[in-house]
Amino acid sequence: MKSFWKFLLQKNLGPNWLAGVRYAVFGLGDSGYQNYNFAAKKLHQRLSQLGATPIIEKGLGDDQHPSGYEGALDPWLSSLWSALLEQDSRFFPNGLEPDYNWADKPKLQIKYHDTKYLHSHISNGGATGTELDKILMMSPGKSLGGKSKAPDCLLKLIKNKPITRLNYERNVRHIELEAVSSAIKYAVGDIVEILPGQDPAAVDSFIQRCNLDPEALISVCPSDMKNHYNGLQVGASYAVKLRSFVELTMDVASASPRRYFFEVMSFYASAPHEKERLQYFASPEGRDDLYQYNQKERRTVLEVLDDFPSVQMPFEWLVQLVPPLKTRAFSISSSCTAHPNQVHLTVSVVNWTTPYKRKRKGLCSNWLAGLVPQQGIHIPAWFRKGTLPAPPPSLPLILVGPGTGCAPFHGFVEERCIQAKTCATAPVLFFFGCRNEENDYLYREFWSKHSQNLGVLSEEKGGGFYVAFSRDQPQKVYVQHLMRERSHQVWKLLREGAAVYIAGSSTKMPEGVFATFVEIISKESGVPREVAVRWLKEMEKGGKYHVEAWS
């Protein structure tokens, strides 16, 4: 997509370059984010600028919709099919009525190999990069979050401690990991993606429910390619145990299946009442009921299969349709300079209850929280650049990070503390927020240490550390309130060329902080709010205003 977009932005492409081309765009987005469906909107606009004609108006899917993005997708698709049928009836020789008696073929084929080629068992507790790479090369499409290579390194746990009060409703942990394979290198503000382990009992239950042989030696390749996949010879030398493949690539007990999963299930249901219900779920008319049954309750693949016992899907279809086991991304909360060959994380353990009182747990956060160093488990990890670039020591910083949004800034402060030993460093002003001083004041001692005695966060050095406890008084206090209280200091640093870094929940915080900056700039400089908005937008364009937000 990046290559395609770069190509479309070439200046030599004139306004009639795509004349005669018709197109349709549907975007997948989340209205909780500031740049909602940004990619779809820009693509639609650019194609139009180049002379292409939209078949229908762009569609914008929203994960916040009660039915998920399919709430907008179904009517959009209906309009698209109708427009195409009107354009040329040959597109739909059988009309627009859905056909539930199709017998489509899966895109994948499974090859079974003689056990004399059996390799040592691969598990998430001991996979080497080479062994995991074999499975990655066989995984369909976007398995493991789109990773197509072995991990950058394998990590082992060396510390796992709670940093919220014991028995508090929120469990946040400081986790330290150390490389066991190759040395690691990252910059502050970077992201590490971790492949979580699955509950072995859930993997076994899935294999048993689907009548699979866990000891079978398999390889997976596209059904239209007989012997080659991604340039590799698919044969016994690249075969793995079926159980290992399921364990490392198929999310059987955490993610919810998509609607197409129910459509394929309907073809393999032998009980009439189950077939009828599955066909209804797969139809536009059944969309809202499917949402209530599936997405809202976050039913897992294993739970769905158990609810329809007459369904026996071939393993090829399961490999294609079971949601891939994805890596989970974490902001790195350490400095590689301060902790060579280590990476530290600030992990909020995710637990919730569904509308029908089912207890749900975040797969990766709970798995990490339950690890102890003595287990010696090796964790596959990939490093990548985040949206918070590492600042030079001479750059003044204004940091805003409530809750676990403080994670990357823990690394920023560690790094600047090291830099301060050898060169002059610019001020750092940090606004942190949590609910209660006693319950979830994350890294309290750390911030206190660096805000005293001419530390990196000290007021004497032109910066400061200020914390908002939102629930410790009748009136809620957030980071925005503290920013307003110190508007003069904020404006002073902005005039000195400070960069702004914001991290945390994507709900209302980034938008509220932006509005507060607008208010401060307008008040302190005397310019209208519109001018302040433009000023901040220019900062954003110039790489001086950064936001890392998650839902």
Side-chain angles (χ1 to χ4, degrees):
M1 182 62 193
K2 286 181 180 177
S3 300
F4 175 53
W5 181 243
K6 188 177 179 181
F7 183 84
L8 288 180
L9 290 180
Q10 293 179 101
K11 291 182 180 177
N12 63 331
L13 304 182
N16 296 315
W17 186 70
L18 289 179
V21 172
R22 303 191 72 195
Y23 71 94
V25 172
F26 186 87
L28 305 182
D30 186 323
S31 58
Y33 287 84
Q34 193 171 358
N35 293 324
Y36 167 60
N37 259 313
F38 179 76
K41 292 172 183 175
K42 294 293 285 185
L43 179 60
H44 175 78
Q45 182 184 35
R46 184 57 179 158
L47 292 173
S48 180
Q49 286 173 348
L50 295 174
T53 306
I55 300 168
I56 61 171
E57 183 52 55
K58 67 179 177 291
L60 301 178
D62 183 5
D63 263 350
Q64 298 290 333
H65 187 279
S67 297
Y69 73 79
E70 286 168 341
L73 178 62
D74 281 336
W76 183 87
L77 278 177
S78 179
S79 298
L80 177 64
W81 301 150
S82 297
L84 290 173
L85 180 64
E86 187 178 330
Q87 178 181 323
D88 191 336
S89 60
R90 289 173 296 179
F91 289 149
F92 300 96
N94 300 318
L96 295 179
E97 288 302 311
D99 178 14
Y100 291 112
N101 296 313
W102 57 268
D104 202 0
K105 291 181 180 178
K107 297 176 183 177
L108 303 166
Q109 61 172 315
I110 310 295
K111 290 191 172 184
Y112 292 85
H113 302 277
D114 194 291
T115 53
K116 69 181 180 180
Y117 296 108
L118 185 65
H119 295 285
S120 59
H121 177 64
I122 304 170
S123 74
N124 205 32
T128 66
T130 304
E131 289 169 329
L132 184 58
D133 193 30
K134 292 176 189 175
I135 295 179
L136 284 169
M137 294 303 291
M138 289 185 215
S139 302
K142 297 180 179 177
S143 282
L144 305 179
K147 299 293 173 294
S148 60
K149 63 183 182 74
D152 293 328
C153 70
L154 297 176
L155 303 171
K156 69 175 181 180
L157 181 79
I158 56 175
K159 183 179 283 188
N160 181 354
K161 68 172 185 178
I163 51 176
T164 46
R165 185 176 59 82
L166 198 62
N167 298 322
Y168 179 55
E169 62 186 51
R170 295 187 173 189
N171 181 9
V172 180
R173 308 188 77 83
H174 175 76
I175 289 176
E176 299 183 5
L177 305 162
E178 187 174 69
V180 295
S181 51
S182 54
I184 55 176
K185 185 70 179 172
Y186 59 86
V188 292
D190 283 358
I191 302 291
V192 62
E193 295 187 17
I194 283 175
L195 181 66
Q198 298 195 77
D199 178 6
V203 173
D204 291 338
S205 295
F206 172 81
I207 290 171
Q208 186 177 0
R209 162 64 182 83
C210 298
N211 295 319
L212 302 171
D213 177 6
E215 298 299 311
L217 197 62
I218 65 165
S219 56
V220 180
C221 59
S223 55
D224 59 351
M225 296 174 67
K226 298 207 173 166
N227 294 312
H228 294 80
Y229 182 39
N230 285 354
L232 287 180
Q233 182 76 24
V234 177
S237 60
Y238 289 99
V240 293
K241 276 189 177 183
L242 183 146
R243 191 188 190 285
S244 300
F245 185 87
V246 171
E247 180 185 20
L248 288 167
T249 71
M250 300 169 68
D251 193 340
V252 299
S254 172
S256 296
R258 287 294 188 182
R259 185 164 63 180
Y260 188 46
F261 187 85
F262 292 86
E263 189 172 344
V264 176
M265 280 180 71
S266 72
F267 184 75
Y268 291 101
S270 58
H273 69 285
E274 290 184 13
K275 181 182 287 286
E276 184 181 351
R277 190 176 181 214
L278 288 165
Q279 288 177 349
Y280 172 69
F281 276 161
S283 70
E285 296 75 26
R287 181 193 67 220
D288 292 340
D289 286 334
L290 176 61
Y291 175 78
Q292 294 293 331
Y293 166 81
N294 188 43
Q295 294 99 310
K296 198 167 184 181
E297 283 297 298
R298 286 293 297 270
R299 268 187 172 82
T300 68
V301 167
L302 187 54
E303 288 173 334
V304 169
L305 288 171
D306 285 343
D307 281 350
F308 297 91
S310 80
V311 174
Q312 287 299 326
M313 292 171 70
F315 189 47
E316 288 85 352
W317 272 119
L318 291 167
V319 171
Q320 181 178 324
L321 296 180
V322 170
L325 181 64
K326 294 181 180 179
T327 55
R328 269 57 168 183
F330 294 92
S331 297
I332 296 172
S333 55
S334 56
S335 158
C336 198
T337 311
H339 306 280
N341 225 35
Q342 290 184 10
V343 58
H344 300 177
L345 309 178
T346 306
V347 178
S348 179
V349 182
V350 179
N351 296 290
W352 76 99
T353 304
T354 71
Y356 287 100
K357 308 303 179 187
R358 283 183 172 84
K359 300 290 184 183
R360 298 298 191 201
K361 293 182 176 182
L363 175 61
C364 192
S365 63
N366 278 273
W367 178 69
L368 284 172
L371 294 181
V372 294
Q374 293 77 9
Q375 290 172 291
I377 286 179
H378 291 174
I379 304 168
W382 293 259
F383 291 87
R384 64 174 171 85
K385 289 294 173 189
T387 55
L388 305 177
S394 59
L395 181 65
L397 301 176
I398 301 174
L399 312 177
V400 184
T404 53
C406 72
F409 304 141
H410 188 280
F412 277 39
V413 172
E414 283 188 336
E415 181 96 337
R416 191 150 286 196
C417 186
I418 297 286
Q419 293 166 341
K421 294 177 181 178
T422 56
C423 66
T425 56
V428 180
L429 179 61
F430 182 21
F431 296 99
F432 173 64
C434 59
R435 289 188 172 189
N436 311 106
E437 185 173 6
E438 295 302 316
N439 292 328
D440 59 345
Y441 191 168
L442 309 181
Y443 299 117
R444 179 177 189 161
E445 293 78 14
F446 178 82
W447 308 125
S448 177
K449 171 187 170 185
H450 290 288
S451 58
Q452 298 171 5
N453 304 320
L454 292 175
V456 168
L457 293 172
S458 65
E459 293 180 355
E460 296 90 337
K461 290 200 70 172
F465 174 77
Y466 305 104
V467 55
F469 304 110
S470 64
R471 309 292 171 88
D472 276 352
Q473 60 284 312
Q475 292 280 341
K476 289 183 180 177
V477 176
Y478 297 116
V479 287
Q480 295 94 308
H481 295 101
L482 300 189
M483 290 169 64
R484 291 188 193 101
E485 287 175 10
R486 288 159 182 82
S487 64
H488 181 71
Q489 189 180 2
V490 170
W491 175 237
K492 179 176 180 294
L493 286 181
L494 287 174
R495 279 188 305 153
E496 292 172 1
V500 172
Y501 286 76
I502 301 164
S505 169
S506 67
T507 48
K508 296 179 180 176
M509 186 275 295
E511 192 178 329
V513 169
F514 184 89
T516 304
F517 273 116
V518 169
E519 188 182 317
I520 288 171
I521 294 167
S522 179
K523 171 191 165 187
E524 296 292 337
S525 67
V527 301
R529 291 179 67 87
E530 314 83 77
V531 176
V533 169
R534 285 201 299 273
W535 201 76
L536 283 174
K537 291 291 183 184
E538 286 302 315
M539 279 186 67
E540 197 171 9
K541 268 190 196 173
K544 286 287 195 76
Y545 191 97
H546 308 280
V547 179
E548 182 177 275
W550 54 86
S551 55

